[in-house]
Amino acid sequence: YQWYLNAGIITGATSASYTATQSGNYTVQVTNANNCSAVSSIVTITVNPLPVTLISPSSSTTFCVGGSVILNTTAGSGMTYQWSLNGTPITGATSSSYTATLAGNYTVLITSSANCAATSIAMTLVVNVLPVPIIINTGGVLSVNGGTFTNYQWYLNGNPISGATNATYSPSQNGTYTVRVTENGCSGLSSGMNLTDVGVHDIAITNNIIISPNPTNDIIHIEGIKPYSISIRNLQGQLIKKAFNKSEISLADFANGIYMMQLHAKDGTLLVNKKIVKQ
């Protein structure tokens, strides 16, 4: 026996049968013991190609809960599709695209009009959960429970507070405070905390006295007057620190929070009662 493909000898194909894997015209020449030969009629074999099964995402394959990504595959006439998640067919997912909202490994089985089928390589989607910040009020300092986050933005009555982007915030006025935090590119907004007792009213004998910076993280300067004494008290009225004949005072060793600064003249007259914020 000698098998031929498109009239060309197939090397090694010398058995009574041959397994064909290529398209083309096949013949076989048979020779008997008397060295008489005959060639068969042509048998035409058609090998249809497997469908192309690439998955192309429309956007990032990592997103937040509530988000989605459209998975696209090769579209063609006569094609049928079946999408699967983690190896399980997704009911009704029989189009050339699928909008995915869940994490996991997605594949698509494509069957051509010639009934040739192929399954794609899996595409993995990652869905990050939304952070859930909870505001805690500790001694007049607002902080966030629920972990350490990448970014913070504090709000007062729904409006962002300029520069309030730290893990803690010391409020200086009454109102409803919220905070938005971000982690893994996902953000979450806390419930509101309503504060009604933030402060004591400031008093001063003159508007020419400047106390700055306020808020501060260290030194507070006093301009327009040099008081005999400077007293720093907590909101419960307890004396925390006192200095004499100075025009500045350091709060570097204070915990973040709200304090009252009182300036007195030498005869004991109260010159200023000012709310200050350490943050």
Side-chain angles (χ1 to χ4, degrees), residues 204-211 223-225:
I205 60 171
T206 173
N207 292 328
N208 294 327
I209 300 175
I210 300 173
I211 296 175
E223 300 177 64
I225 191 173

Short mmCIF file of all heavy atoms in Angstrom, two decimals, residues 204-211 223-225:
data_model
loop_
_atom_site.label_atom_id
_atom_site.label_comp_id
_atom_site.label_asym_id
_atom_site.label_seq_id
_atom_site.Cartn_x
_atom_site.Cartn_y
_atom_site.Cartn_z
N ALA A 204 -12.57 87.93 72.92
CA ALA A 204 -11.33 88.69 72.86
C ALA A 204 -11.65 90.15 73.12
O ALA A 204 -12.71 90.65 72.74
CB ALA A 204 -10.66 88.54 71.50
N ILE A 205 -10.72 90.86 73.78
CA ILE A 205 -10.96 92.26 74.09
C ILE A 205 -10.73 93.14 72.86
O ILE A 205 -11.16 94.28 72.83
CB ILE A 205 -10.05 92.74 75.24
CG1 ILE A 205 -8.55 92.59 74.84
CG2 ILE A 205 -10.33 91.96 76.50
CD1 ILE A 205 -7.61 93.23 75.84
N THR A 206 -10.06 92.64 71.87
CA THR A 206 -9.79 93.39 70.65
C THR A 206 -9.65 92.45 69.48
O THR A 206 -9.21 91.31 69.64
CB THR A 206 -8.51 94.24 70.79
OG1 THR A 206 -8.21 94.83 69.52
CG2 THR A 206 -7.34 93.37 71.22
N ASN A 207 -10.00 92.94 68.30
CA ASN A 207 -9.85 92.13 67.10
C ASN A 207 -8.43 92.15 66.55
O ASN A 207 -8.14 91.52 65.54
CB ASN A 207 -10.82 92.62 66.02
CG ASN A 207 -12.27 92.35 66.40
OD1 ASN A 207 -12.56 91.38 67.08
ND2 ASN A 207 -13.16 93.24 65.97
N ASN A 208 -7.55 92.92 67.20
CA ASN A 208 -6.18 93.03 66.69
C ASN A 208 -5.30 91.87 67.13
O ASN A 208 -4.15 91.78 66.71
CB ASN A 208 -5.56 94.34 67.17
CG ASN A 208 -6.25 95.55 66.56
OD1 ASN A 208 -6.73 95.48 65.43
ND2 ASN A 208 -6.32 96.65 67.32
N ILE A 209 -5.81 91.01 67.97
CA ILE A 209 -5.02 89.86 68.44
C ILE A 209 -5.15 88.74 67.41
O ILE A 209 -6.25 88.34 67.05
CB ILE A 209 -5.49 89.39 69.82
CG1 ILE A 209 -5.35 90.52 70.84
CG2 ILE A 209 -4.72 88.16 70.26
CD1 ILE A 209 -5.90 90.19 72.21
N ILE A 210 -4.01 88.24 66.97
CA ILE A 210 -3.98 87.15 65.99
C ILE A 210 -3.32 85.94 66.63
O ILE A 210 -2.19 86.03 67.14
CB ILE A 210 -3.21 87.55 64.71
CG1 ILE A 210 -3.87 88.77 64.05
CG2 ILE A 210 -3.13 86.38 63.74
CD1 ILE A 210 -3.09 89.32 62.88
N ILE A 211 -4.03 84.83 66.61
CA ILE A 211 -3.51 83.56 67.13
C ILE A 211 -3.42 82.59 65.95
O ILE A 211 -4.45 82.26 65.36
CB ILE A 211 -4.41 83.00 68.25
CG1 ILE A 211 -4.40 83.97 69.44
CG2 ILE A 211 -3.95 81.62 68.67
CD1 ILE A 211 -5.34 83.58 70.55
N GLU A 223 0.04 87.34 68.18
CA GLU A 223 0.45 88.65 67.68
C GLU A 223 -0.57 89.70 68.12
O GLU A 223 -1.75 89.41 68.28
CB GLU A 223 0.53 88.63 66.15
CG GLU A 223 1.53 87.62 65.59
CD GLU A 223 1.51 87.60 64.07
OE1 GLU A 223 1.85 88.62 63.45
OE2 GLU A 223 1.11 86.55 63.50
N GLY A 224 -0.08 90.91 68.30
CA GLY A 224 -0.96 92.01 68.68
C GLY A 224 -1.00 92.27 70.16
O GLY A 224 -1.53 93.30 70.61
N ILE A 225 -0.43 91.34 70.95
CA ILE A 225 -0.39 91.49 72.40
C ILE A 225 0.62 90.49 72.94
O ILE A 225 0.84 89.42 72.36
CB ILE A 225 -1.78 91.24 73.03
CG1 ILE A 225 -1.78 91.68 74.49
CG2 ILE A 225 -2.19 89.79 72.90
CD1 ILE A 225 -3.16 91.62 75.14
#
